Amino acid sequence: MDFVQRTIDIARQNVAEGGRPFATVIVKDGKILAESPNKVVQTGDPTAHAEILAIREACTRAGTEHLTGTTIYVLAHPCPMCLGSLYYCSPDEVVFLTTREDYAPYYVDDRKYFELATFYDEFAKSWQDRRLPMRYQPREDAVDVYRSWQEVNSA
């Protein structure tokens, strides 16, 4: 099977059905483990990106949070949320079929704090300097949750 073409076909079908132009196919041992289009429009869920949905399905099927041994095909270079998820699940490789520059003339994602052209710079800033208002409210009992985790998982 041509996994690149499958990724393109899923995205094309999603656009035809009123969705956004993104798709992900996750392959292990030459077979599709999971696949998904972007379903943000259909669900009203801003986290329903194709990568996130396909990773969730693949991990459920595999019974693990680790996707080592997989190749993940995505229509576009991943956004920061999806890139973080891809790092976290640790596939062997991610293959992306378009860059932001490739699709910029045709697709714009204009959120209040998120513009593709500047987001990676924004992400790298200290939390105090970001456009998204953030406030640090330290609590020792919040740190206790991590101490408890360590105690339970140190055996």
Side-chain angles (χ1 to χ4, degrees):
M1 174 177 261
D2 183 343
F3 302 118
V4 168
Q5 188 61 53
R6 179 69 184 150
T7 306
I8 294 167
D9 291 345
I10 292 168
R12 184 176 283 127
Q13 180 179 349
N14 200 46
V15 168
E17 294 172 357
R20 294 201 175 137
F22 302 98
T24 298
V25 174
I26 300 177
V27 176
K28 184 171 179 122
D29 300 327
K31 296 179 184 165
I32 294 175
L33 178 61
E35 61 184 24
S36 184
N38 176 297
K39 293 185 180 179
V40 170
V41 171
Q42 297 92 319
T43 64
D45 177 355
T47 69
H49 289 206
E51 295 93 330
I52 302 296
L53 298 174
I55 288 168
R56 286 177 185 162
E57 181 182 337
C59 289
T60 298
R61 286 187 175 168
T64 179
E65 65 192 74
H66 304 285
L67 293 178
T68 54
T70 66
T71 299
I72 300 181
Y73 296 86
V74 297
L75 194 75
H77 184 276
C79 76
M81 175 180 68
C82 293
L83 187 60
S85 296
L86 290 162
Y87 268 88
Y88 203 82
C89 71
S90 305
D92 286 2
E93 182 180 32
V94 174
V95 178
F96 63 97
L97 310 179
T98 62
T99 65
R100 293 187 307 276
E101 292 78 18
D102 294 334
Y103 69 75
Y106 315 104
Y107 182 85
V108 176
D109 198 349
D110 53 354
R111 306 294 172 153
K112 183 175 180 179
Y113 301 115
F114 179 88
E115 295 98 13
L116 284 172
T118 60
F119 192 80
Y120 286 93
D121 291 336
E122 182 75 12
F123 203 66
K125 292 178 184 176
S126 170
W127 66 267
Q128 301 97 321
D129 298 327
R130 292 183 185 141
R131 291 178 57 209
L132 175 67
M134 299 181 81
R135 177 168 45 104
Y136 175 48
Q137 186 171 330
R139 292 280 303 260
E140 192 59 32
D141 53 344
V143 177
D144 286 341
V145 175
Y146 296 95
R147 289 185 189 102
S148 296
W149 182 88
Q150 184 180 41
E151 289 170 10
V152 169
N153 291 281
S154 293

